[in-house]
Amino acid sequence: MSTMNKHRWVAGIVFLAAAIAWLAVGMGWLNFQISAFTLIMTVILAIVLLTSLVDLSIVGSVFSVAFLAMLYAGPLGITKLVPWTILGIALLVTIGLSIIFHPHRSWYHWDWRSNRNFSDDWDDDYIDKSDQSTTVIEATMGDTVRYVESDDFKRATIHASMSGVKAYFDKAVITGESATIHIDDYMSGIKLFVPSDWQIINNIDPAMGTVQVFDNHSPHEGPRVYLTGKVNLGGLEVYYL
């Protein structure tokens, strides 16, 4: 089953469950009331949780559970923990699980040369001047700006969770016929700035997210650049320079 079909199944199951829950509330089968806002947020967070579990995303899974816990803090009797204790616990759980299952990621060590997490700021830019053909950009609960400079660009992977990312590719040279930019977007806003001759081919599966390519109406006769991955409750915007 493809990723897109899995996400459709997840969304369908969540909406069916929401219909059953609404019926249960209306019939008085539950001993507490659920507002329309709470029901809508529950549906959204449940979709994020299940798609994150399908995609094996630690950040999406842990924080969607945390937000669900805050949403139902009253019935659960944990109002004293809302919001900072729950968010702090979720952050520590995310870091711990990431260290265990993704030891190659720098979750606990600050290194300006490697992946940047938690403390990125729009005014703290990082220029990747390496000659490597592959670039990885990561941002978690923060903002980052990256300038990618490569003489043989082939692939970029952007992981963003509850963050803002601006990535400039105007000095990235594609020597072959095509390249790929893979997106993992969870409740984040990502903006890509690309050369005017790149042919952008959008193959991204948005799950309650948006993907927009702002064409500058220039002829795009250069190499093909494939956008792949997913956008969950976030937005991806592509601008030509």
Side-chain angles (χ1 to χ4, degrees):
M1 184 182 295
S2 66
T3 301
M4 182 178 295
N5 287 334
K6 289 180 181 178
H7 289 176
R8 287 174 179 171
W9 271 91
V10 166
I13 291 172
V14 169
F15 277 103
L16 291 175
I20 295 173
W22 201 345
L23 175 63
V25 171
M27 296 295 295
W29 297 341
L30 299 177
N31 58 1
F32 60 91
Q33 295 296 317
I34 301 177
S35 66
F37 172 79
T38 301
L39 183 62
I40 292 172
M41 290 303 300
T42 300
V43 170
I44 294 174
L45 291 171
I47 291 175
V48 173
L49 173 60
L50 293 180
T51 54
S52 298
L53 291 174
V54 169
D55 298 330
L56 301 179
S57 167
I58 293 174
V59 174
S61 300
V62 173
F63 274 93
S64 56
V65 170
F67 285 122
L68 282 170
M70 288 191 291
L71 196 61
Y72 291 93
L76 293 174
I78 56 173
T79 54
K80 292 182 179 180
L81 304 180
V82 176
W84 299 115
T85 300
I86 291 179
L87 290 177
I89 293 172
L91 179 60
L92 293 176
V93 170
T94 299
I95 295 174
L97 291 177
S98 299
I99 292 173
I100 294 172
F101 294 105
H102 301 291
H104 61 283
R105 294 184 183 177
S106 302
W107 294 98
Y108 56 91
H109 178 66
W110 173 263
D111 185 351
W112 73 273
R113 298 176 185 273
S114 59
N115 302 332
R116 306 182 61 195
N117 303 286
F118 309 118
S119 300
D120 294 306
D121 185 83
W122 289 119
D123 297 326
D124 187 9
D125 303 346
Y126 173 49
I127 302 177
D128 184 356
K129 295 184 177 180
S130 67
D131 294 329
Q132 297 179 356
S133 60
T134 301
T135 296
V136 177
I137 302 173
E138 297 200 25
T140 302
M141 299 182 68
D143 298 321
T144 185
V145 180
R146 288 287 295 272
Y147 295 85
V148 179
E149 298 183 10
S150 174
D151 295 330
D152 184 21
F153 176 71
K154 294 181 180 178
R155 181 181 177 86
T157 301
I158 301 177
H159 302 281
S161 298
M162 292 176 284
S163 305
V165 176
K166 292 181 181 179
Y168 292 82
F169 294 89
D170 51 310
K171 294 186 178 180
V173 179
I174 301 175
T175 58
E177 295 182 355
S178 65
T180 300
I181 300 178
H182 184 80
I183 303 293
D184 283 323
D185 183 336
Y186 295 94
M187 293 182 282
S188 299
I190 300 177
K191 295 183 179 181
L192 308 180
F193 300 88
V194 302
S196 59
D197 64 330
W198 282 11
Q199 302 179 51
I200 301 296
I201 301 174
N202 179 26
N203 291 331
I204 288 181
D205 173 25
M208 301 187 70
T210 60
V211 178
Q212 294 178 287
V213 179
F214 296 94
D215 199 336
N216 61 359
H217 303 294
S218 298
H220 310 302
E221 300 175 350
R224 297 184 301 275
V225 177
Y226 295 92
L227 301 180
T228 63
K230 51 192 173 294
V231 176
N232 294 329
L233 294 172
L236 172 66
E237 298 177 354
V238 182
Y239 297 90
Y240 283 100
L241 295 175

